[in-house]
Amino acid sequence: MDALKKGFSMAKDGVVAAAEKTKVGVGEAAAKTKEGVIYVGNKTMEGVATGVNTVSQKTTEQANVVADTAVSGANEVAQVAVEGVESAALASGLVSATELPKTGGEQEAQ
């Protein structure tokens, strides 16, 4: 009977020792996994922030190009419209050439 108790006691001690080593091993593995996940998360976050900043900058640049082009185009359209109205008014006899406002080139000549 004593041999049986001693055998079970030794087995119990072995199981306890194995459980402690497993607990330490699992703890170390969990810590390393946590470090890895945090590292990947930080790198991903840095990459996303860089990507967002790049996209934002490119979008701003493109918006500026479009705005500049739109303003330039609107100015050209307005100039052509004014010239067209002047031509139509002259052709219809609604106004005479002397009644039209002078442009920059004509003012310098006179």
Side-chain angles (χ1 to χ4, degrees):
M1 190 73 155
D2 286 336
L4 219 47
K5 283 184 180 181
K6 187 174 183 180
F8 284 132
S9 178
M10 289 170 62
K12 178 184 169 192
D13 291 343
V15 169
V16 169
E20 287 298 319
K21 287 183 180 181
T22 301
K23 182 179 171 183
V24 170
V26 168
E28 288 175 6
K32 294 220 181 268
T33 301
K34 179 182 174 185
E35 288 173 17
V37 168
I38 289 172
Y39 177 81
V40 169
N42 286 338
K43 290 298 178 184
T44 301
M45 193 167 46
E46 289 170 11
V48 168
T50 300
V52 167
N53 288 339
T54 301
V55 168
S56 175
Q57 183 177 357
K58 293 294 182 188
T59 302
T60 301
E61 290 172 4
Q62 291 301 314
N64 288 337
V65 168
V66 168
D68 290 345
T69 303
V71 168
S72 176
N75 288 340
E76 289 177 17
V77 167
Q79 182 63 37
V80 170
V82 168
E83 290 171 2
V85 169
E86 288 175 352
S87 296
L90 283 173
S92 67
L94 190 61
V95 294
S96 67
T98 57
E99 294 178 61
L100 291 177
K102 306 288 185 216
T103 60
E106 294 173 356
Q107 287 176 348
E108 292 173 7
Q110 292 182 1

